[in-house]
Amino acid sequence: MILHLNFKSGVPVYLQIVQQIKESAATGTLRPGEMLPSVRALAEELRINRNTAARAYAELESEGVVIN
């Protein structure tokens, strides 16, 4: 999964991740049942703090976009 972050946009990084994953799910790029990278793998790939990645996943789960 390819995510693009803009650290200068003023939009929190975790919300950028949430938005892009929602878009991927809506367009079919991310299929039902497809596994997302682990928090650790996502954080390493995007070079962000693990807590930021975990916050994005928690937000997606609370919105019912993904299940744990």
Side-chain angles (χ1 to χ4, degrees), residues 1-5 7 13-14 16-18 20-21 36-58 60:
M1 178 171 43
I2 299 173
L3 300 174
H4 300 283
L5 301 178
F7 295 99
V13 171
Y14 84 97
Q16 291 181 50
I17 295 168
V18 168
Q20 290 181 44
I21 291 176
L36 292 174
S38 68
V39 168
R40 179 183 219 163
L42 182 66
E44 288 177 3
E45 178 183 334
L46 298 176
R47 297 177 189 248
I48 59 173
N49 188 292
R50 286 185 202 162
N51 293 330
T52 303
R55 186 172 181 185
Y57 280 180
L60 289 163

